[in-house]
Amino acid sequence: MLRIAVAALVLAATACASTSSGAAAGGRGGNATVTGSITYPESGLQGEPCSSVSVKVTEGNSAALGAGEVKQSRNNRCSFTVTGLPDGTDLQVALVVDPGLKCASGAAPTATPGPTTMKIAKFAAPVVSYKLTCG
């Protein structure tokens, strides 16, 4: 009985090790993170800025990478984090504004800076600051 339990434990540990190393070898997951803030005007926006923006991280023409989250902060700011990014590759980081977020004039707000390319080291968390403006 003890031999069966030990064999099952070894098999389970081996399966977990293969799964995690396979995901890293695929280049889709990792230990890098991008974090930062998004500043928006005190007045003049129609809609909720923090629920109308997201940060998209891509590698080449791939689909979005990582797990992103945007939260309301204080003083007209949102904070964001995108985790689980691959390290050591050129990643493009961009602020995506929902088309429903409008300035009082009806125009879309301007987001600065534009898309940025960066290479993130293992376990690193560079900070990127965005600003939404109207007019």
Side-chain angles (χ1 to χ4, degrees):
M1 182 75 158
L2 182 60
R3 286 183 183 174
I4 293 172
V6 170
L9 182 62
V10 169
L11 182 61
T14 305
C16 289
S18 331
T19 302
S20 63
S21 64
R28 290 288 174 212
N31 297 313
T33 299
V34 174
T35 186
S37 65
I38 305 157
T39 305
Y40 57 89
E42 188 172 327
S43 62
L45 280 179
Q46 299 172 344
E48 294 294 323
C50 296
S51 60
S52 300
V53 296
S54 61
V55 177
K56 183 177 178 182
V57 180
T58 57
E59 179 180 12
N61 292 327
S62 71
L65 301 173
E69 180 178 35
V70 177
K71 292 183 176 183
Q72 178 69 48
S73 193
R74 53 186 169 156
N75 298 329
N76 304 326
R77 291 180 195 272
C78 312
S79 61
F80 72 87
T81 305
V82 183
T83 61
L85 300 172
D87 56 82
T89 63
D90 286 332
L91 300 175
Q92 187 166 20
V93 182
L95 181 66
V96 179
V97 180
D98 185 273
L101 185 63
K102 301 284 184 189
C103 296
S105 65
T110 304
T112 53
T116 306
T117 301
M118 60 177 61
K119 193 175 284 194
I120 307 172
K122 189 179 244 184
F123 299 109
V127 177
V128 180
S129 297
Y130 291 102
K131 185 174 186 176
L132 291 175
T133 56
C134 287

